[in-house]
Amino acid sequence: GPKLAELARVPFNTRLLADLLTVGIAPEQLRSLASQVQLLEMYWNERVRPLGLPAEQCLGSTVRAMIDHGRMEATRIAAGADTGNALDFLLQRGVLISANGDREVAFRHHVLFDYVASRTVVVLADTAKMDTLFKRSGASLLLAPALSFALQHLWEISGRGRDRFWQAI
């Protein structure tokens, strides 16, 4: 359909679509995709969620370490702390990549960082936490796309009146 064709025009999205097809997603499942947030959610459900909560915790630790250091890279130790083999599995699946001679990890693409941050760090229901987070030096610039993803997701799931979205705003 036209929405999927529009999504596929962006090279990053094309790569995600190819990854999803490679792991066995039926092409028919892609037809319902209407936004990049939906594509990223499908990617998350196929690449991250099967690895369990430790993988999600590892990604959250990775994002927080990146925010703490103001860089788009985190040490392997900070990224994988207390998550067992989750870091290794995320590297194998290509969600994260090795950097700096295998001493650090990074997201394969900055859009993945933005989406993961929207799921693991941006908690719209906790305004005090969000206020503290966005007041940190440089964090608001770094997390603006993540906030946008979180709000777009909320818009899409809020239903007809968009009550949850407006409440978060």
Side-chain angles (χ1 to χ4, degrees):
K3 292 198 180 216
L4 182 58
E6 185 178 327
L7 275 173
R9 283 190 187 99
V10 176
F12 171 74
N13 294 343
T14 304
R15 173 74 188 262
L16 289 185
L17 290 165
D19 283 354
L20 289 169
L21 290 169
T22 300
V23 297
I25 291 289
E28 299 79 40
Q29 290 180 268
L30 302 176
R31 287 192 182 123
S32 64
L33 294 175
S35 69
Q36 188 177 45
V37 169
Q38 290 174 354
L39 173 59
L40 286 161
E41 185 171 357
M42 184 178 281
Y43 179 85
W44 177 274
N45 288 336
E46 291 299 319
R47 288 293 209 186
V48 177
R49 180 133 309 142
L51 299 174
L53 187 58
E56 294 183 43
Q57 290 169 328
C58 181
L59 290 171
S61 296
T62 303
V63 168
R64 284 187 290 282
M66 290 175 173
I67 293 167
D68 289 345
H69 296 283
R71 300 179 49 222
M72 295 300 287
E73 295 165 340
T75 65
R76 292 175 61 89
I77 302 299
D82 300 320
T83 61
N85 293 335
L87 179 61
D88 294 328
F89 294 137
L90 290 164
L91 287 164
Q92 288 170 0
R93 290 187 174 226
V95 177
L96 295 171
I97 58 171
S98 291
N100 297 329
D102 208 28
R103 292 174 183 243
E104 296 180 316
V105 296
F107 284 92
R108 186 176 73 195
H109 194 280
H110 67 87
V111 175
L112 283 177
F113 167 86
D114 299 333
Y115 183 73
V116 170
S118 80
R119 291 193 68 118
T120 62
V121 175
V122 175
V123 182
L124 295 173
D126 190 343
T127 55
K129 182 177 181 180
M130 291 298 89
D131 189 46
T132 302
L133 180 63
F134 279 93
K135 283 184 179 176
R136 294 180 64 184
S137 178
S140 57
L141 182 61
L142 189 63
L143 292 173
L147 180 60
S148 178
F149 275 137
L151 289 170
Q152 185 178 352
H153 173 75
L154 198 54
W155 177 267
E156 290 180 2
I157 66 162
S158 287
R160 190 176 172 114
R162 311 281 190 226
D163 294 336
R164 289 181 66 195
F165 173 84
W166 294 114
Q167 185 178 21
I169 293 296

